[in-house]
Amino acid sequence: MIIKINQISVNYIDQGEGDVILLLHGWGANITLFKGIIETLSPGHRVIALDMPGFGKTAEPPEPWCVDDYVDFVMQFLNRLQIREFSAVVHSFGGRVLFKMNARENLPFVIRKAVLIDSAGIMPKKTWKQKMSLRLYKTASRIMSTKILHFLYPDAVEDMRKKRGSADYNNATPTMRATLVKVVNEDLSPLIGKLNCPTLLIWGDKDTATPIEDAKAMEAWIKDAGLVVCEGAGHYSFLEQPDRVHGALRAFLG
């Protein structure tokens, strides 16, 4: 299905009937990864999932966005569909959107329950080695960007960036690279405890993108929270152990 929000054509799924469940995907992902969850929950629920701008079949934002821009967009999407109450199931980057949205004052809707699957939101602490590496990269980048050196070695800065950058960063367009930088450099730890609805955390204990320590911290900060650990799973626990995750979702969401 397609709906236009602020001149952006949004690809989304709206399946089933009953209490609304909103799915928000992670960075670099799209709603196709939620197929199993949608098929599991849509009997008895109205499940809505959208490709957020810059992902899947939804166009990029017109300029680099921050998390708040995505929150504004999702809220406009919900308003267009006249959603006034829902439960949220979010993965990775989707957690950032949920935390910031939940912290807004005078929300025009009620968040009944939340499921955080390998959610982002806590900024990892950089090691001394990482800090030094970043400092050296910035210094070298400034030097190689000077007029003469750039003329002699036009690809030097780009080559350094590729060696340092993550797969998400290197595979993104310039607009989405700038968006990723804005997103990951915001620590949402102070907002996580404001999630005051019943919350289920589902996590892979081998997750290296958002480690299990993040899940334990979130469980402690959120008043009404419980944690399901998928042993042996990584950052995409819902794809690696679908039976376990789907069972937990059915038990929690009804």
Side-chain angles (χ1 to χ4, degrees):
M1 303 176 75
I2 299 293
I3 190 173
K4 186 162 284 190
I5 306 290
N6 290 344
Q7 305 305 311
I8 298 177
S9 295
V10 184
N11 179 54
Y12 73 104
I13 291 173
D14 189 342
Q15 182 172 316
E17 296 180 356
D19 293 338
V20 175
I21 297 176
L22 175 69
L23 307 183
L24 297 178
H25 62 74
W27 187 272
N30 57 69
I31 57 179
T32 61
L33 298 186
F34 281 141
K35 180 180 179 181
I37 291 178
I38 293 170
E39 295 300 324
T40 296
L41 297 178
S42 56
H45 299 89
R46 179 185 176 189
V47 183
I48 300 172
L50 72 152
D51 282 336
M52 289 188 279
F55 305 101
K57 296 180 180 179
T58 299
E60 291 184 359
E63 59 188 12
W65 275 11
C66 63
V67 180
D68 276 305
D69 293 317
Y70 278 97
V71 172
D72 291 339
F73 193 88
V74 171
M75 289 181 65
Q76 291 177 60
F77 173 81
L78 292 170
N79 183 58
R80 285 286 297 277
L81 295 185
Q82 299 183 333
I83 304 301
R84 298 292 176 257
E85 187 173 321
F86 64 89
S87 295
V89 177
V90 300
H91 173 244
S92 193
F93 168 64
R96 292 182 183 272
V97 177
L98 178 64
F99 294 140
K100 296 221 76 172
M101 183 164 62
N102 175 75
R104 295 275 182 96
E105 295 183 359
N106 303 315
L107 287 174
F109 47 70
V110 175
I111 303 173
R112 294 180 63 250
K113 293 182 178 181
V115 180
L116 310 176
I117 304 177
D118 300 292
S119 176
I122 299 176
M123 184 180 291
K125 294 181 179 179
K126 288 185 174 64
T127 64
W128 177 86
K129 185 177 180 179
Q130 289 172 324
K131 290 178 181 178
M132 287 302 298
S133 176
L134 178 60
R135 189 174 300 174
L136 288 171
Y137 167 73
K138 288 182 176 180
T139 300
S141 181
R142 283 197 298 269
I143 293 172
M144 297 307 295
S145 295
T146 58
K147 192 172 182 178
I148 294 176
L149 289 178
H150 179 68
F151 176 78
L152 294 173
Y153 308 99
D155 299 324
V157 174
E158 179 68 8
D159 290 342
M160 286 190 295
R161 181 195 62 72
K162 287 180 178 179
K163 289 179 181 179
R164 277 190 51 82
S166 66
D168 283 338
Y169 186 84
N170 288 332
N171 293 334
T173 65
T175 296
M176 296 309 291
R177 284 176 189 166
T179 296
L180 179 59
V181 171
K182 286 187 174 186
V183 165
V184 300
N185 284 323
E186 187 171 5
D187 185 12
L188 303 184
S189 297
L191 303 183
I192 295 172
K194 293 185 177 183
L195 197 61
N196 55 13
C197 61
T199 302
L200 176 67
L201 298 98
I202 300 176
W203 231 270
D205 65 349
K206 303 302 181 185
D207 189 340
T208 56
T210 53
I212 190 68
E213 288 74 23
D214 288 4
K216 294 176 180 178
M218 291 182 188
E219 183 186 22
W221 294 337
I222 299 171
K223 184 177 180 181
D224 186 4
L227 172 63
V228 172
V229 178
C230 297
E231 296 181 359
H235 190 55
Y236 287 83
S237 58
F238 69 102
L239 295 178
E240 296 174 55
Q241 297 187 11
D243 291 342
R244 181 169 176 76
V245 172
H246 295 171
L249 290 173
R250 283 194 296 265
F252 181 69
L253 296 171

